[in-house]
Amino acid sequence: MPLYCLIADDEPLARELIQSYVDQLSGIELAGVCTNLLDVHDHLMANPAINVVFMDVELPVYTAHDWTALADFNDRMLWVVLVTAYPPTYLPAQTTDMAFAVLNKPVSFERFCHVVDQIRDLAAKK
């Protein structure tokens, strides 16, 4: 099962880094890039194949803390991977509870691959 991902970050360098990592891996394809949470919602509504979201914790319009208030995508396999420059203690439990993983900026390729491999394993079991 291929993975289709969405990158949501308002920082161009962070978006480019994650996109370069996606481009280097097989079995995961970029389905879109967003700079705010409303765009994330719109992309998810328009493209039900998206099953992974690499999302900055603080986006314009809303923060990742507001994620659950925007839409309920529990009817599909969707893994949210938070990307942040903040230490883990900054993130409220409700945010980390809804996330599959947290990647700290700058994201290393090794850690990125590890998270993608975990998601692939889970997707293959479903």
Side-chain angles (χ1 to χ4, degrees), residues 26 53 73 100 104 112:
S26 61
V53 179
F73 295 99
F100 174 75
N104 291 93
F112 180 84

Side-chain angles (χ1 to χ4, degrees), residues 39-112:
D39 288 343
V40 170
H41 178 266
D42 292 346
H43 272 83
L44 290 173
M45 293 297 292
N47 188 346
I50 295 172
N51 48 14
V52 181
V53 179
F54 296 100
M55 184 170 63
D56 186 14
V57 172
E58 295 211 357
L59 294 170
V61 183
Y62 294 97
T63 66
H65 312 299
D66 301 313
W67 169 262
T68 55
L70 279 181
D72 182 5
F73 295 99
N74 289 334
D75 60 335
R76 71 202 240 192
M77 286 188 289
L78 182 66
W79 291 277
V80 176
V81 179
L82 296 178
V83 182
T84 182
Y86 295 104
T89 54
Y90 170 82
L91 303 173
Q94 68 191 42
T95 302
T96 55
D97 287 348
M98 63 116 191
F100 174 75
V102 177
L103 295 173
N104 291 93
K105 293 179 181 178
V107 177
S108 74
F109 185 63
E110 179 182 359
R111 178 78 173 117
F112 180 84

